Amino acid sequence: MQTPAGFGVNAAGQFVPEDWWAVIFNPVIPYRLLHMLLAAYLTTAFIVGGTGALHLLRDPTLPASRIMFSMAMWMAALVAPLQIVAGDLHGLNTFEHQPAKIAAMEGHFETRAVRH
């Protein structure tokens, strides 16, 4: 869908897969997969951290709550910068393979001639 590959068009005008490896492993998959995995880890860290914080508010003497909150915040502190880097790499890959999408995201709706 994003960078279509491995398909053909039959006589009825329908898109038909011809090479499933090309369909699945197109040029954007490493960036999208990494970005989504890091997003899942980051979301989980904040949910666990919020749960630990709630338990700490209710009873600050519970050591398990303190450990849960600490581990979640360490995970968030490690994953958040990685997510920023992965997002930037994903954006650069999108710029390479889908420049029109980047132009639309940035609000460049009129094309301009490039003069040398």
Side-chain angles (χ1 to χ4, degrees):
M1 183 171 88
Q2 303 298 327
T3 52
F7 70 93
V9 180
N10 65 12
Q14 299 169 321
F15 293 99
V16 197
E18 293 177 347
D19 179 10
W20 280 105
W21 289 109
V23 170
I24 295 170
F25 297 108
N26 59 46
V28 299
I29 192 67
Y31 301 98
R32 288 184 184 277
L33 181 63
L34 178 63
H35 196 55
M36 282 308 304
L37 284 175
L38 290 173
Y41 286 138
L42 198 54
T43 301
T44 303
F46 283 126
I47 290 172
V48 171
T51 305
L54 180 64
H55 286 295
L56 282 173
L57 282 173
R58 290 183 178 163
D59 186 3
T61 62
L62 292 175
S65 300
R66 190 171 303 280
I67 291 169
M68 179 171 39
F69 183 73
S70 175
M71 289 176 70
M73 291 303 99
W74 276 109
M75 182 67 158
L78 293 173
V79 172
L82 293 175
Q83 178 69 311
I84 293 169
V85 171
D88 183 56
L89 292 173
H90 182 28
L92 293 173
N93 181 268
T94 303
F95 183 69
E96 179 182 341
H97 293 283
Q98 298 173 288
K101 180 188 270 189
I102 296 294
M105 284 192 282
E106 293 180 350
H108 301 293
F109 298 113
E110 294 182 24
T111 59
R112 291 175 246 160
V114 177
R115 297 179 185 208
H116 298 281

